[in-house]
Amino acid sequence: MQTKYVVVMGSLLSGIGKGIVTASIAKILSFYNYNVLAMKFDGYLNYDCGTMNPFRHGEVFVLEDGGEVDMDFGTYERFINKNISSKFSLTSGKIFSEIIQKERKGDYLGMDVQIIPHVTNLIIEKIKTISKENNLDVLLIEVGGTVGDLENGYFIEALRQLSLKEKVIFVNVTYVMELKKVGEQKSKPVQLALKRMMEVGISPNYIVCRSETPLNKNIKQKIAFFANIDENAIIDNHDIDNIYEVPLRFLDQGFDKMLLNDLGFNNKIDEEKFNSWKKLVNREEEKNKKEIKIAVVGKYINLKDSYASVKEALVHAANKLGAKLDIGWIESEEFENNKENINKLADYDGVLVPGGFGSRGINGMINAIEYARTNKVPYLGLCLGMQLMAIEYARNVCKLEGADSTEFNENTKYKIIDLMNEQKSIINKGATMRLGGWEALIKEGTSTYDAYKANRISERHRHRYEFNNEYRKLLEDNGLIISGTTTDGSLVEFIEWRDSFGIGTQAHPEFKSRPENPAPLFVKFLEEAIKKKVKREDGSISE
């Protein structure tokens, strides 16, 4: 079967959930047993997302092959439960870099190298190559930004050209504004955005409308009229708490039947796959679940998207355990200079310190880790959270005053965390960290082994610094447990406390967590948090 394409583009404004819409359409098609994957075009000139600011861009998601990509890829993988290659991430930086390389090699001898046809042809070539290599029935293509942005214009033009020869369905994601003072939804901004889209030669087949409240019939009729499409092709996607419900909402509106018809498909829905997803979604909505409160103490708290995968991994684990999750997002600088603030952690059943870079807020995280250890509050440290767990132990248990990481203090006397040897000669910052999936050996009889139930596991990584083996014996002699290492034993991958539940991992297990397959460490962490809560409630331990 020749691959067909569904293109998801945004109009009016960015940040309205194109990634969730793209992933939801992919999920719907998977219910019908079509082979589908998703790719994304991003207009920034960065080669990849690795050097971008999480405050502005959200988290950098790491793929199994080590690709550093936009956070929407995390949404794709979580919805369709498949790994995606970094080839599916196409930035302007990658495209222009390849164009220049071709020009320097002489591939365009005698030609004026131009956006059209050379850039657009290369984009189309990439799309077709990915489709063929993966034997796809449908390739979902999300275009970053909004229609009218200068930096994605050539991507959109390439897709227009693709639609002249291939089956391409265009889905526009837009935002319907609502004036609360008058209690009325307004379609005029959407109409103007549609006009801009049509000016570049594209008329959407479907319009997915984001709004705060359900879309009213009058607005649907107006938008359909101006878009020259049937009213049923205007899809309501108003705000909900559970993003995994979106595919079911689309099915309720008959989006699946219309889309399959437009694509020329005739498969019947796989009831087992559909019911499995529906059961998973409904489980999250169950009432009377035991609530657990988890404190995430990080340094990018002001933008929750910086920790999107951490949040979703906690949701997946809580759903599996039948628990109601309450996440407290705490800026680590709150604990930096006023240790009395740390007492707010008494309200939580578990503490998680995620990854990050740079010295800001580090001591606040260390104070939070010390609180969790001394008060026997279940703890999970991810990447930086593992490194700070080791530093806290060195300072407060091993009495190595001023112990630190050379990332924060190059002159520290006790270099508990240090730059990896292979990183010391590296100059370029992009795509040079230890990235992607790496295997580790787990020691039996440890909490880490209890979580994974396996001696050999694999998790994704993103780091330059590591646990310094010079201090390995000292910390172990003082009670720290090294529960996992690389397969050759050269790098520490997991550490634990001996007297209470606390696990730190150099990896980012949140990147592999899926609704159907929650990350084992997150499940174990929440199990311990539930136990902690039960003991407090029955009086086994004091507050």
Side-chain angles (χ1 to χ4, degrees), residues 517-536:
N517 298 293
L521 275 189
F522 279 79
V523 174
K524 180 66 175 174
F525 170 54
L526 292 194
E527 282 179 342
E528 296 296 325
I530 291 171
K531 289 179 185 177
K532 172 80 170 179
K533 184 179 184 69
V534 169
K535 287 180 179 179
R536 286 199 302 179

Side-chain angles (χ1 to χ4, degrees), residues 84-101:
I84 298 177
S85 160
S86 54
K87 291 181 180 180
F88 285 68
S89 175
L90 204 57
T91 66
S92 292
K94 286 183 179 179
I95 290 295
F96 290 147
S97 176
E98 189 166 338
I99 289 288
I100 295 300
Q101 289 176 19

Side-chain angles (χ1 to χ4, degrees), residues 327-343:
I327 302 176
W329 300 95
I330 302 175
E331 172 58 56
S332 62
E333 285 184 294
E334 287 187 33
F335 301 150
E336 195 92 312
N337 299 313
N338 186 351
K339 290 192 71 171
E340 290 183 5
N341 285 344
I342 207 78
N343 291 326

Side-chain angles (χ1 to χ4, degrees), residues 23-47:
S24 296
I25 295 173
K27 191 65 184 180
I28 288 172
L29 292 169
S30 75
F31 290 154
Y32 287 86
N33 288 320
Y34 290 107
N35 184 22
V36 56
L37 287 172
M39 72 180 300
K40 186 176 183 183
F41 295 155
D42 275 303
Y44 43 74
L45 289 172
N46 303 67
Y47 194 87

Side-chain angles (χ1 to χ4, degrees), residues 408-419:
F408 318 130
N409 180 5
E410 292 184 0
N411 300 316
T412 179
K413 181 178 179 181
Y414 304 110
K415 300 177 180 180
I416 304 302
I417 305 297
D418 201 4
L419 192 65

Side-chain angles (χ1 to χ4, degrees), residues 291-430:
E291 181 178 276
I292 50 173
K293 297 182 67 176
I294 301 298
V296 177
V297 183
K299 56 190 300 179
Y300 311 124
I301 296 300
N302 289 334
L303 181 64
K304 299 295 191 303
D305 279 351
S306 301
Y307 300 119
S309 291
V310 171
K311 184 247 186 182
E312 293 306 317
L314 287 168
V315 168
H316 303 160
N319 199 16
K320 179 180 177 66
L321 297 172
K324 182 180 179 182
L325 181 66
D326 181 5
I327 302 176
W329 300 95
I330 302 175
E331 172 58 56
S332 62
E333 285 184 294
E334 287 187 33
F335 301 150
E336 195 92 312
N337 299 313
N338 186 351
K339 290 192 71 171
E340 290 183 5
N341 285 344
I342 207 78
N343 291 326
K344 69 167 56 179
L345 293 178
D347 296 331
Y348 293 92
D349 307 302
V351 175
L352 186 152
V353 173
F357 297 90
S359 60
R360 184 184 62 81
I362 290 301
N363 286 326
M365 294 181 188
I366 290 175
N367 291 337
I369 295 169
E370 180 185 13
Y371 179 93
R373 180 179 58 80
T374 56
N375 290 276
K376 300 187 184 305
V377 178
Y379 172 77
L380 179 60
L382 310 174
C383 195
L384 176 64
M386 173 267 203
Q387 295 175 359
L388 298 182
M389 182 181 174
I391 291 170
E392 187 279 327
Y393 204 87
R395 288 182 183 180
N396 298 317
V397 177
C398 302
K399 305 304 179 184
L400 303 180
E401 185 177 351
D404 216 330
S405 166
T406 53
E407 179 183 2
F408 318 130
N409 180 5
E410 292 184 0
N411 300 316
T412 179
K413 181 178 179 181
Y414 304 110
K415 300 177 180 180
I416 304 302
I417 305 297
D418 201 4
L419 192 65
M420 301 174 69
N421 286 330
E422 57 266 34
Q423 292 285 323
K424 292 179 179 178
S425 60
I426 289 176
I427 298 175
N428 292 339
K429 297 298 183 184

Side-chain angles (χ1 to χ4, degrees), residues 248-260:
L248 303 182
R249 178 185 289 181
F250 286 174
L251 264 68
D252 287 342
Q253 298 175 68
F255 188 13
D256 57 327
K257 299 294 193 298
M258 293 185 288
L259 181 60
L260 290 169

